[in-house]
Amino acid sequence: MSRLAQEYMEATKSTVVPRVLVVEDEPDIAALVAYQLTREGFRVETTGSGTEALDAVGREIPDLVVLDRMLPGLSGDDVLQRLKADPVTSHVPVLMLTAKREQEDRIQGLELGADDYLTKPFSPRELVLRAQAILRRVQETGGTPGGRILKAGPIRLNPESHRTSIGEDELSLTPTEFRLLQALIERRGRTQSRKQLLEKAWDMEAGVSDRIQTRTVDMHVRRLRAKLGELGDWIQTVRGFGYRLKVPEGLD
Ligand code: CA
């Protein structure tokens, strides 16, 4: 088993090898991706259609989905939307693959909730690095030592167990949403720019345009607000700058 797979299991207190579901209808690419990830120590299951992918997820929730965008029948976007709409699977990170080299695709994928995006043709090494980066984010948010629990009113966020709750109710957050909420809670009351939030919650490369920064952060804030329910209003928009978490007086 690779060091990453071992670290991942330790950090997430998992007793099984992390599992990656590869959804790709082109057999050569599916085989290549599966080969590379298996070499890294992961259990890999491949499916050739969106419907099969949802069946596979229904049987066992994977630690990561590598999802081709262009699939026959149910498209990659459809699969992504269904995964994100279901509270049981909305936390599962997704790496999207696309044949097109268009920035619009990347933006749309990120807006739909993909954690990262890879354009074909990609090198197998690049795929492994991206997959590792996503799993490291899960691992990092779950692997903070000390068992520190962050609080904001009735919101509890445990960087150790990667769990979030409001009162008695557990929240299902994606790794990105988790880090975004963590950044907001850690600096509550203070305004943070979209760029600052991107750096904390994403491994965004420098040089991403302002437009993508804005759309990506705004979309995830929208999702996070929706998941926080009536507490979603606590995330305040600071026009032309960014966001801050404002806990009403008496509740903090
Ligand atoms: Ca395809």
Side-chain angles (χ1 to χ4, degrees), residues 73-101:
L74 211 56
S75 75
D77 288 356
D78 294 335
V79 173
L80 178 61
Q81 271 172 327
R82 292 196 193 188
L83 290 177
K84 294 297 163 187
D86 185 341
V88 176
T89 54
S90 67
H91 68 284
V92 176
V94 176
L95 171 60
M96 291 286 272
L97 306 177
T98 180
K100 291 182 221 154
R101 193 168 275 282

Side-chain angles (χ1 to χ4, degrees), residues 23-25 47-50 53 67-76 79:
V23 191
E24 167 63 85
D25 61 310
T47 63
S49 80
L67 179 61
D68 185 34
R69 190 146 190 231
M70 306 293 277
L71 295 168
L74 211 56
S75 75
V79 173

